[in-house]
Amino acid sequence: TPGEDLEGVYGGIDFLRAVIQGNAPAIGEKVAICGGGNTAMDACRTAVRLGAKEVYVIYRRTRNEMPADALEIDEAEEEGVIYKFLTNPISFNGENGKLKSVTLQIMELGEPDASGRRRPVPVEGKTEEIPLDSVILAIGQKLVQGDVSELQLNDRGNIEADPDFFTTSMDGVFAIGDATNRGASIAIEAIGEADRCAKAVDAYLNGQALDTRVPYISKRDEATIDYSDRKKEPRKTPRVLDPEVRNKNFDEVSLGFTEEEAQAEASRCLECGCREYYKCKLLNVAQRYDIDPSRFKGEMPQKYTHDENAFIERNTAKCILCGLCVRSCREVMDIHALGLMGRGFTTEPAPAFALPLDQTKCNNCGLCVQLCPTGALTEKANLKKQVPLDEIYTEETVTINGQQATVLVSRYNGKVLRVIPNDEISRNSGLSREELLELITE
């Protein structure tokens, strides 16, 4: 853009770096930021805090197309930032080498471009001029290709790097982050790549092969889940400093949640994680042998209506038909609360006559839960939220009706979560889970 070399024209990253290092430039009272990403939001909100009276954001598309976080866009507006949508700078105008104004081309949205956003096109003959003291360009960055001329670049001008091993066309040279493949993204993505790349470099230096296989994790069909029993509750919004307070300093804007608010927000979670994740035998085997379930066609159980009683929760979608629950109920406990119902892929362990589990002869001994390899049967813990936790199990002795019995005690960070009967005496004791828990915690 003509006039980019004028005094008072700054790059977005350079400007933010100077401010954080305590060398903020004198930007004056009228400032414009060109761009619509999060860097532009950081720059405009910083300009407000440096004392600028009029701060504009010049963006060639509309608010709906801005890639910045919606929260940033809204909070900047609350702090007094003025948005100039569908405008694009065509010249920075100066006097004696110093910026005086910007001439904006008025735009309108045309057809979508490669990113899926409607392409802004100039409206012939329509411009606007705004007097300015400084302008900050937050319109993205590109790789300086001369610095990496020995490496193979892609059609975007970025370094061609292996997405798993981060190797480049030159042996022993690795590349990550904004300089590679798709180009600029968010900082945390580069940080994540740096962590994985360090392992790749270490393996290379030690002459080792690096395994980058993505572990298999099953996914459930959300469309089959009945959420009618769940109450819809809106997300809680953290408290923030008032705009007229926060726009005068660099204090943290978000005040966060109180403990009660945080607990209430966490309780909205629908708990999609499997509670038995850390001890699922099927998961361990699947990861070890690189399973591919798509090779086997057939109707798979997708029932996510949890059949349960006071202590046991049954989820047939996770059942692999090993039959351990049915056999243990019949052969060990002689109760016959569960049986195999149906044939083929639709077979499932279920109470006779499709009764709910709490209407069977089940005495909640927990043996089926203890033997289940996948989490199709789980025992409820004494927690408000039944979340996946890496529990530690210990076998302990308790006295029940004058007899010594063994139970499995589950703990997380020292807190007792559940107690599972582990021998004939404890399984036939008739004690509830609360009563067993009291024996352990006394």
Side-chain angles (χ1 to χ4, degrees):
T1 306
E4 281 186 355
D5 56 347
L6 289 170
E7 181 185 346
V9 179
Y10 306 98
I13 300 297
D14 296 332
F15 167 70
L16 293 171
R17 182 189 294 116
V19 173
I20 204 70
Q21 291 178 342
N23 301 314
I27 57 175
E29 295 187 350
K30 297 182 179 181
V31 182
I33 289 83
C34 299
N38 284 327
T39 299
M41 295 300 98
D42 287 344
C44 71
R45 299 180 72 179
T46 298
V48 169
R49 284 157 174 76
L50 291 178
K53 299 292 189 294
E54 296 178 21
V55 178
Y56 302 93
V57 168
I58 298 168
Y59 184 57
R60 59 182 183 156
R61 291 182 166 95
T62 70
R63 190 189 197 104
N64 291 335
E65 285 81 34
M66 287 185 76
D69 291 341
L71 183 66
E72 294 270 8
I73 298 170
D74 293 340
E75 290 187 351
E77 190 170 43
E78 291 171 358
E79 292 168 7
V81 172
I82 303 164
Y83 289 105
K84 302 288 290 184
F85 295 117
L86 290 172
T87 60
N88 199 40
I90 54 176
S91 71
F92 300 118
N93 314 309
E95 186 178 301
N96 299 324
K98 182 172 176 55
L99 178 74
K100 289 297 180 183
S101 68
V102 59
T103 301
L104 302 176
Q105 172 67 61
I106 307 301
M107 314 290 286
E108 63 182 3
L109 294 181
E111 296 301 314
D113 60 14
S115 69
R117 296 182 296 175
R118 293 176 64 190
R119 185 189 304 275
V121 293
V123 178
E124 201 64 39
K126 291 192 68 174
T127 61
E128 178 184 0
E129 187 170 354
I130 302 176
L132 292 175
D133 297 313
S134 58
V135 65
I136 300 166
L137 305 178
I139 52 176
Q141 296 174 300
K142 276 194 171 183
L143 184 68
V144 179
Q145 296 183 4
D147 292 346
V148 291
S149 57
E150 296 171 291
L151 301 178
Q152 180 181 339
L153 306 181
N154 61 19
D155 55 4
R156 292 188 174 191
N158 299 320
I159 300 171
E160 193 77 59
D162 185 279
D164 294 321
F165 299 98
F166 310 101
T167 53
T168 66
S169 58
M170 184 180 293
D171 184 50
V173 175
F174 297 76
I176 61 167
D178 289 1
T180 66
N181 301 338
R182 293 180 293 110
S185 184
I186 56 175
I188 194 62
E189 190 169 323
I191 293 169
E193 285 191 358
D195 180 64
R196 299 194 302 277
C197 184
K199 296 179 178 66
V201 172
D202 185 64
Y204 171 84
L205 294 174
N206 286 287
Q208 301 170 345
L210 187 67
D211 185 3
T212 60
R213 291 177 302 170
V214 177
Y216 174 79
I217 297 179
S218 64
K219 296 178 175 64
R220 68 183 188 180
D221 184 358
E222 293 289 331
T224 65
I225 304 176
D226 180 11
Y227 290 118
S228 61
D229 64 326
R230 303 281 184 163
K231 179 183 177 183
K232 279 192 175 183
E233 295 183 4
R235 174 183 295 178
K236 292 188 179 297
T237 303
R239 293 169 297 125
V240 295
L241 287 175
D242 292 334
E244 59 272 14
V245 174
R246 67 178 189 248
N247 66 5
K248 296 179 177 62
N249 57 64
F250 287 92
D251 292 345
E252 190 166 354
V253 171
S254 177
L255 302 178
F257 292 130
T258 64
E259 184 174 343
E260 292 75 17
E261 289 171 337
Q263 289 178 347
E265 181 66 3
S267 69
R268 295 172 59 249
C269 173
L270 296 179
E271 302 173 25
C272 58
C274 178
R275 298 207 301 276
E276 305 303 307
Y277 173 83
Y278 290 101
K279 60 179 186 292
C280 177
K281 296 177 182 176
L282 180 63
L283 179 65
N284 292 333
V285 173
Q287 310 243 15
R288 187 184 312 151
Y289 293 105
D290 279 341
I291 67 161
D292 180 14
S294 62
R295 292 187 299 129
F296 303 100
K297 303 297 181 183
E299 183 182 354
M300 303 303 290
Q302 293 288 345
K303 293 184 179 177
Y304 291 100
T305 51
H306 293 275
D307 180 12
E308 56 190 34
N309 62 16
F311 308 109
I312 298 173
E313 189 176 276
R314 190 171 69 92
N315 186 346
T316 56
K318 296 175 183 174
C319 178
I320 59 171
L321 297 177
C322 67
L324 290 173
C325 57
V326 175
R327 290 180 58 192
S328 62
C329 191
R330 289 182 178 180
E331 299 173 16
V332 179
M333 299 305 296
D334 194 27
I335 290 178
H336 303 261
L338 292 172
L340 290 172
M341 312 296 288
R343 302 184 68 177
F345 279 100
T346 60
T347 303
E348 63 170 317
F353 305 110
L355 289 171
L357 195 58
D358 59 2
Q359 292 183 25
T360 67
K361 294 181 179 179
C362 175
N363 70 347
N364 308 310
C365 72
L367 183 59
C368 58
V369 175
Q370 190 176 339
L371 294 173
C372 180
T374 64
L377 292 166
T378 56
E379 186 171 18
K380 298 177 182 178
N382 61 331
L383 296 172
K384 184 177 180 181
K385 298 294 289 181
Q386 305 288 312
V387 296
L389 297 172
D390 194 3
E391 306 167 42
I392 296 176
Y393 285 83
T394 56
E395 188 175 81
E396 301 184 20
T397 302
V398 294
T399 301
I400 300 176
N401 299 327
Q403 295 179 291
Q404 294 295 300
T406 60
V407 293
L408 282 177
V409 182
S410 160
R411 290 183 172 87
Y412 179 77
N413 281 346
K415 177 180 175 62
V416 177
L417 302 184
R418 47 190 172 184
V419 179
I420 303 173
N422 199 40
D423 65 3
E424 187 175 353
I425 296 173
S426 57
R427 281 195 287 269
N428 290 298
S429 66
L431 295 179
S432 68
R433 290 298 177 275
E434 286 81 0
E435 291 169 328
L436 285 174
L437 193 64
E438 288 175 5
L439 291 176
I440 295 296
T441 55
E442 281 178 352

